[in-house]
Amino acid sequence: MRYDLVVRSRRTVLPGGTRAAAIAASGGAIAAIEDYGERLDAGQDVDLGDLALLPGLVDTHVHVNEPGRTDWEGFATATRAAAAGGVTTICDMPLNSLPPTVSVAALAEKRAAAAGKCWVDVAFWGGAVPGNSGALPPLHEAGVTGFKCFLADSGVPEFPPLGAAELRSVLGSLAAIDALLIVHAEDQAEIRPASGRDFGLFVASRPPAAERRAIEKVIAAAAATGARAHIVHLSAADCVAMIAGAKAAGIRLTAETCPHYLYFAAEQVPDGATEFKCCPPIRDAANREALWRGLEAGVIDCVVSDHSPCPPELKAPGTGDFGQAWGGIASVQLGLSAVWSVARRRGRTLDDVARWMAAAPAGLARLPAKGRLAVGCDADLVAFDPEESYVVDAARLLHRHPVTPYAGRTLTGRVRQTWLRGTALLGADIGAPEGEPAGRLLIRG
Ligand SMILES: [Zn+2]
């Protein structure tokens, strides 16, 4: 058998553990996994030596914003940044684009806007908003990965939150079709208005109780309906025990957190530094430690970016007012390095990182060809140097507006090459995709 591509590494991160191996790809899929030194006939044979070989990451939480707010972020820029960051699949969030993805017609507009522009594969979440319950089954049929809802103001008027009764009714109808609901779990009643440059006041305006109250509602509704629910961007670590309890009771609940909650702590954030604003907020170092423990214990399932960019002028650059600034941190290109920088110091392995950032999100979104180095899966591969450190230069970030709280930070672990279905994406100038975008628009498996 002649393969299209063989990639060898002494540190190949396989589902069963890291070992020396050769990944052989044919027709865009992994056709065989052989010993590192095996003689194989291939069109191209790449030996990474001691560089690690990871499965392409699956980032299930990316706000692309196109169409409608393409000046915030678009498919071309978001997916270029993803490729550079070792992310070979993104799942686009249903809000901040216009129209939001709350009907089959809106999904068709999304897919038309994305067609031909994507450097990595793209799947789509649908949205659950008041009044669109009739659109959920046809959107599910059309292949969305599940449905996103809010329990607090989303920040955009065209994507209102669900009330408690609506939450339960939506979960009931999704249970009937075995579709997943992913929830922005902050309770509006616990959120206070915030203004000014003081980061501590902003954090206090969105307390852990806001997350706790919302997650309680999700757990109760999931228990009552038998539906699958997922908590996006968990920040408040004192909710970890509640999530663990729900899981132990057999409730179909999963949770994710984000690189910024695992990397930054509120004590480090200068007043007026609105590039750190996101909702829920980055909390203190003790909270960060407890989030890590929840992740390491398997209570938190996934780490995904919540890449949510906006033009710099919406970050209130003149005033540094946390009340006025748009909330969102764009990090699809940096998530792997940010998480690995901390994980390695904690004695975690690349196996852990691949589980949190590739296999688990692929399972969440029901994309069975993604997230694992296994025969039959897509040949989505990442060559990663776990020892190389670099200083984040915002000017080299490829998303549309390189505003980032990571600017100037030294991160450890660098993506050296990314393959999408067996095709190398990055040129000699590390970080920038070259050629033509060949990402596909995915349908849930
Ligand atoms: Zn988000």
Side-chain angles (χ1 to χ4, degrees):
M1 162 119 193
R2 183 175 169 84
Y3 299 108
D4 299 333
L5 170 73
V6 168
V7 183
R8 303 166 190 271
S9 161
R10 291 196 183 89
R11 289 194 274 181
T12 304
V13 181
L14 298 168
T18 294
R19 64 175 172 88
I23 303 289
S26 203
I30 298 175
I33 299 175
E34 302 287 356
D35 288 339
Y36 174 71
E38 187 78 24
R39 241 173 227 273
L40 297 165
D41 185 17
Q44 197 190 1
D45 196 317
V46 180
D47 188 348
L48 300 177
D50 288 329
L51 289 184
L53 181 59
L54 300 173
L57 304 193
V58 177
D59 191 338
T60 51
H61 198 145
V62 176
H63 295 266
V64 176
N65 305 338
E66 182 175 5
R69 289 193 179 93
T70 310
D71 52 326
W72 292 21
E73 181 67 299
F75 284 101
T77 43
T79 58
R80 275 173 66 79
V87 175
T88 48
T89 304
I90 64 168
C91 302
D92 171 56
M93 280 291 164
L95 71 157
N96 302 345
S97 54
L98 294 168
T101 317
V102 295
S103 68
V104 169
L107 175 64
E109 282 195 53
K110 267 274 188 195
R111 294 176 64 94
K117 293 179 190 160
C118 298
W119 291 84
V120 303
D121 287 355
V122 179
F124 299 91
W125 294 104
V129 294
N132 86 326
S133 58
L136 306 183
L139 272 168
H140 181 69
E141 280 292 303
V144 296
T145 46
F147 297 92
K148 167 96 176 272
C149 76
F150 279 70
L151 301 180
D153 179 13
S154 74
V156 291
E158 68 277 4
F159 203 97
L162 298 181
E166 289 162 327
L167 171 69
R168 192 164 292 215
S169 127
V170 163
L171 274 171
S173 42
L174 294 186
I177 53 175
D178 195 29
L180 173 69
L181 186 70
I182 66 172
V183 185
H184 179 122
E186 288 185 290
D187 189 314
Q188 190 68 49
E190 300 288 338
I191 298 172
R192 304 279 163 260
S195 65
R197 297 171 49 83
D198 186 321
F199 187 69
L201 287 180
F202 167 66
V203 176
S205 76
R206 305 185 87 104
E211 292 186 64
R212 201 162 53 236
R213 281 287 189 83
I215 293 171
E216 281 166 2
K217 284 183 191 167
V218 174
I219 290 173
T225 58
R228 288 192 295 137
H230 174 78
I231 307 300
V232 296
H233 51 52
L234 180 74
S235 166
D238 64 0
C239 298
V240 167
M242 191 167 55
I243 294 167
K247 285 181 162 192
I251 295 166
R252 299 165 82 195
L253 186 72
T254 51
E256 72 189 33
T257 190
C258 306
H260 39 272
Y261 302 124
L262 297 170
Y263 185 86
F264 295 113
E267 294 91 330
Q268 311 167 315
V269 179
D271 287 344
T274 53
E275 65 272 25
F276 288 88
K277 179 178 176 181
C278 57
C279 299
I282 292 165
R283 305 187 191 279
D284 64 21
N287 182 81
R288 177 180 61 187
E289 172 62 25
L291 270 184
W292 269 104
R293 280 191 257 112
L295 180 65
E296 289 163 347
V299 178
I300 299 171
D301 302 86
C302 316
V303 182
V304 291
S305 70
D306 194 7
H307 180 82
S308 186
C310 68
E313 56 271 23
L314 292 184
K315 280 291 198 183
T319 61
D321 187 318
F322 282 100
Q324 284 170 7
W326 175 259
I329 290 177
S331 68
V332 70
Q333 190 173 337
L334 297 172
L336 176 57
S337 300
V339 170
W340 176 241
S341 295
V342 186
R344 64 192 282 277
R345 287 202 303 268
R346 300 178 65 87
R348 308 313 302 187
T349 64
L350 289 172
D351 301 87
D352 296 318
V353 172
R355 189 173 68 253
W356 299 330
M357 304 186 80
L364 178 79
R366 295 205 167 162
L367 299 171
K370 299 297 187 183
R372 290 173 300 140
L373 298 182
V375 172
C377 286
D378 288 349
D380 295 347
L381 316 173
V382 178
F384 183 68
D385 185 341
E387 276 87 40
E388 185 180 345
S389 292
Y390 65 101
V391 177
V392 176
D393 175 1
R396 289 181 66 90
L397 298 177
L398 300 176
H399 61 274
R400 176 148 292 159
H401 301 288
V403 175
T404 175
Y406 292 98
R409 308 272 165 174
T410 300
L411 300 181
T412 302
R414 186 162 208 174
V415 171
R416 300 284 290 271
Q417 184 54 278
T418 303
W419 288 265
L420 177 70
R421 280 178 274 102
T423 300
L425 298 179
L426 306 183
D429 172 28
I430 290 182
E434 287 186 350
E436 292 295 321
R440 291 183 185 161
L441 308 186
L442 302 178
I443 301 288
R444 183 194 67 256

